[in-house]
Structure formats: structure tokens, C-alpha cells
Amino acid sequence: MTDQKTLDTAKVMVDFNQMKSFGQDPLVLERGVGVRVWDVFGKEYIDGLSGVFTVNLGHGMSQFADVAAEQMRTLSFSAPTMSTNPPAIKLAEYLCSLVPDQFNTVKFASGGSEANEFAIKMARQYHAQTGNPRKYKVISRWGSYHGSTGFAGAASAQPEWKSKYDPYPEGFIHVPRRTPEDIEEAIVGENAESIAAVIAEPVMLSAGVRVPDPDYFPKLREICDRHNVLLIFDEIITGFGRTGHIFAAEMFGVWPDILSCGKGISGGYAPLAAILIADKVANAFWGDPAQGIQFLSGHTYGGNPVSCAVGEAVVRYLVENDVVGNAQRVGNYLADGLRDLGERQPAISEVRGVGMMRCLAFHEPIGRAVYSACRRNGLLTRPAHDWIGVAPPLVTTEQEADEIIAIIEKSIPEALAG
Ligand SMILES: Cc1ncc(COP(=O)(O)O)c(C=O)c1O
């Protein structure tokens, strides 16, 4: 165990946290095995959020360390500005084998924000290169989160996070998430001739784990096609089994033109993200150098050979070991248990979600207090104003799901007691 006294937690600025209060009760995680992690004080937690929807296979799988070490010894880096490498090509081939035939091109990034940044730029350039240079606006939904970089941040609609960085670039329109008709109204109202893309999380996490009606995305697909608007799915969270399907697109029977994915693609074992590009879009970037129609955006660690080698091993493990099936089965078991808890605990208003992506909503704004009580009691969750997110690794067993529910049951009265 690390001597905690030697760690100056104030040296690291932790995302979204006030460092002063973080330093008074820091969470400094040292190691993990399966669904469990331990902090530097030796306290054990169930990782009820898979890191942050990332550690889909659980912690401490040494086979991925071996893959990374082997690739580091072989080739640790290739410049994405002038080369690619076998692990990137193999991972791209494998990813394309998991999705319908129209996806044959992959562009790698190192995180979800970068992937969405690519998706938005690509949508604009696609229209410019297919005779519609005036199509540049991007529509997204209130409550969405697409990342914290420029365009991804502009597409996000989380007022309390965004407002510090105003002004964002223009050309980003936000609409309610209720119906696809809300989106069509915005497309028509803004003039369809100016709309490049709609970007949507198939299941919205930050908006409170919102699963749309089954006909939402089929209708939205039809609306986008009718107005020549590209559909981008942000599957950074939902991709790689989280919903009980490899991609949420499969669950809705609707495929986008660009699908961005990250997090679970490497299960937290390496920084990695990607966009899967449908041929319709990719073809607009295929030509002679003199045409100047190539995609002109990239990042140093995009397609890194170590990340891609780990990514391929992780995704193969996910597919070959029925991890996705487990996410569906144990996810439903977890949801049933949370609903039963809702019968016993009147503070709970609703259980929402799908697969291993659930949320417990409360009548009162006690989400953060429940999060803190759960943490004290050895469970990590996702705090929000009046809900907590529960999304453990996809390999979670029924017994571990029972443990999660028991800790939440114990924690709610503690939260209510202040
Ligand atoms: C739906 C969604 N999109 C994009 C992102 C941004 O990904 P990253 O933090 O890897 O940049 C996140 C991160 O949580 C996310 O939840």
C-alpha cells in the first residue's frame, strides 16, 4: 500500500472537482481486481461505475498487460501523420466485422471528445465535398454530453459545465430530447439547407439515463435522410456491450452515418476511441491528392499501436466470452433488484436504463448525498442532482449485483439523515 502521507493530492487537478474539498476527502485509487478497486488507505470499493463506463471487463486482467508489453517491445508508436500500423489495421478490420456492411472505414482517436470532434468536422466536410457547402449546423439535444473539446463541447448541452467557456462556436443548435419531431422542427426552422448533422447518444447518460421509445431512432433516421442530414451516434458510453448489445444501434435497429465510440473499446486498459464511418461518407474523402478532399484532422496518439493492440484483445474478449449477454442478463437482474428496492424505499421515484446502464432517481435532490454515503459504504456510483448512475463492469455477477443493491439500500437512509 502506498504511504498516503507522501501523496500531495492537490498536485493533480481532478476533472470537474473543486480541489479544496477533494483534498479533504480524496479518492486515490491504487489497484483493482474484477469489479473491485482499493484506495491508498486500503479501503475496498465495488466499482459500480466501471471507472466511468469504461472498465467493461473489470480490473486487473493481466493478459491485456501482456499484449501491451509485447506491442511496446515490437513498436510503441507510429506517426499518424504519415503511417499506420498492423494493430490499427487489425482492430479496424475487426470493428468493421461487428457492424453492418456499409461500415468499412475507421478513424482512431485517443478519447471520446476527439472522436466526436472528428465526427462533426467530417460531417461538415462531407457536405462541402458533395455539393452542399452551406450545410454546417449541428443539432444536438438538451442534456446531452459529447465531450469537453471545442466542437464536442459546443454540441453538448450541460449548462452548468459549459457556461464557463462561452462563447462557443456558432452553428450548434440544441433541441428537446422528447420526440424526433422536435428535431425535424429545428431542421426545418433553421432551414434544412444549413444543417449538416444530428448528433445523439442513443441512451442519454448525463440527461439521467434516458432510453428513448423504440420508434424514436427509426423516425429520426428517416427525418435525417429526407433532409440530407447526417446522423451521428455518440456511442462513447453505449458502445461495446453497455446496453446488452455490442452497439446500441443494434438495439434500435438503426445505424448512423458516423458512429463514435471510446471507453469500453479498450476497457480502460489503454486510451483509445474511434469513429466508424459509413461508405456513403467515406467515399466523399476518396480521390486524388490534387483534389484535396482528404480529411484534415488528427491527433498524435490516434491509432497508437499499443492502444490498438490492447483494443483488439479487449473487444475480442468481449465478443468471444458472451460478456454482452451477461450485461443483458445481470443488467436485468440488477434493475429488478433496484425496482424491488424502490418498493421498500419511498425516496426512490424511478429506476431507468437498459443493460448494465441504470439509474436510480429520487423524489428529492439527494443524488450527491446518496453517492457520498455509498462511497463511505464501499460502492462507487455516478452522482447527479436527483439520481445516481449504476453501471458496474459487464462481467458483474448476480451476487455482486446483490451487494451493490444492499449498499445502496443501507446508504439511502444515511443520505436522508443528512
Ligand atoms: C456520451 C459521451 N460522449 C463523449 C464523451 C467524451 O469522452 P472523453 O471523456 O473520452 O473525451 C463522454 C465522456 O464521458 C460521454 O459520456
Side-chain angles (χ1 to χ4, degrees):
M1 203 191 308
T2 309
D3 176 8
Q4 200 276 330
K5 291 191 199 72
T6 65
L7 296 174
D8 180 358
T9 54
K11 285 282 185 295
V12 176
M13 193 179 263
V14 174
D15 295 359
F16 301 104
N17 276 261
Q18 169 48 251
M19 289 310 297
K20 190 175 174 191
S21 48
F22 180 83
Q24 283 154 8
D25 183 21
L27 182 62
V28 186
L29 296 175
E30 189 166 48
R31 67 191 176 90
V33 178
V35 302
R36 288 168 212 277
V37 288
W38 286 264
D39 71 13
V40 289
F41 302 101
K43 184 173 168 62
E44 178 180 315
Y45 303 87
I46 295 184
D47 185 355
L49 201 62
S50 310
V52 55
F53 309 96
T54 301
V55 188
N56 285 3
L57 303 182
H59 296 268
M61 296 179 73
S62 61
Q63 64 262 50
F64 303 133
D66 295 341
V67 169
E70 180 58 28
Q71 184 57 44
M72 281 181 193
R73 282 189 204 97
T74 310
L75 179 75
S76 64
F77 185 82
S78 76
T81 47
M82 64 174 107
S83 65
T84 183
N85 54 76
I89 295 168
K90 281 168 62 192
L91 176 57
E93 280 174 354
Y94 190 52
L95 293 177
C96 290
S97 77
L98 301 176
V99 291
D101 290 347
Q102 70 264 31
F103 291 93
N104 290 292
T105 312
V106 177
K107 180 155 182 68
F108 289 112
S110 26
S113 305
E114 280 180 13
N116 283 332
E117 209 75 14
F118 282 159
I120 290 166
K121 286 179 177 170
M122 192 167 280
R124 287 181 169 177
Q125 196 177 341
Y126 163 81
H127 286 295
Q129 291 176 182
T130 53
N132 296 293
R134 290 178 54 234
K135 276 183 170 285
Y136 70 97
K137 293 180 192 164
V138 175
I139 295 178
S140 56
R141 299 168 306 159
W142 290 113
S144 63
Y145 181 65
H146 298 296
S148 53
T149 51
F151 288 163
S156 301
Q158 292 285 337
E160 72 276 26
W161 300 345
K162 282 186 68 171
S163 54
K164 302 282 182 198
Y165 309 108
D166 282 336
Y168 278 89
E170 68 110 9
F172 288 83
I173 317 293
H174 300 106
V175 301
R177 64 178 160 74
R178 289 183 299 267
T179 70
E181 286 76 18
D182 289 331
I183 296 180
E184 181 157 36
E185 205 177 310
I187 293 174
V188 175
E190 288 282 333
N191 183 0
E193 296 305 309
S194 71
I195 308 294
V198 171
I199 181 167
E201 298 159 78
V203 177
M204 294 177 84
L205 184 278
S206 297
V209 191
R210 306 285 174 176
V211 185
D213 291 340
D215 63 350
Y216 184 98
F217 282 109
K219 278 190 187 163
L220 182 57
R221 176 73 271 184
E222 187 276 319
I223 289 168
C224 287
D225 288 343
R226 191 149 36 79
H227 295 287
N228 188 20
V229 168
L230 293 186
L231 180 58
I232 302 168
F233 275 0
D234 175 345
E235 294 229 29
I236 306 293
I237 286 182
T238 54
F240 302 103
R242 182 58 55 191
T243 64
H245 301 263
I246 293 188
F247 292 106
E250 206 176 288
M251 175 169 96
F252 292 109
V254 169
W255 290 87
D257 301 299
I258 302 174
L259 186 154
S260 49
C261 53
K263 295 188 186 273
I265 189 173
S266 63
Y269 287 88
L272 184 64
I275 55 172
L276 312 187
I277 310 158
D279 292 345
K280 165 182 157 180
V281 177
N283 289 343
F285 293 81
W286 189 269
D288 294 324
Q291 291 173 270
I293 56 172
Q294 66 270 35
F295 187 58
L296 290 166
S297 184
H299 299 276
T300 299
Y301 281 100
N304 175 265
V306 177
S307 293
C308 289
V310 171
E312 190 196 347
V314 165
V315 180
R316 280 193 188 277
Y317 185 100
L318 180 97
V319 172
E320 291 166 10
N321 292 278
D322 191 31
V323 175
V324 182
N326 192 71
Q328 196 163 73
R329 286 186 297 276
V330 180
N332 287 335
Y333 179 86
L334 175 67
D336 287 345
L338 291 173
R339 281 190 205 100
D340 289 347
L341 174 57
E343 303 284 307
R344 300 192 292 276
Q345 173 49 265
I348 295 172
S349 60
E350 199 183 2
V351 177
R352 294 190 289 267
V354 64
M356 205 70 93
M357 182 178 178
R358 303 286 173 173
C359 123
L360 202 56
F362 305 106
H363 293 291
E364 307 281 323
I366 56 166
R368 288 177 206 288
V370 175
Y371 161 82
S372 297
C374 284
R375 188 182 141 190
R376 276 197 304 278
N377 291 321
L379 172 69
L380 300 175
T381 61
R382 156 67 149 89
H385 184 63
D386 58 359
W387 55 273
I388 57 165
V390 183
L394 310 186
V395 294
T396 300
T397 62
E398 291 188 358
Q399 290 77 8
E400 289 161 344
D402 288 340
E403 278 185 68
I404 290 173
I405 294 161
I407 295 177
I408 296 173
E409 178 151 30
K410 176 169 183 252
S411 302
I412 294 173
E414 293 178 16
L416 289 169

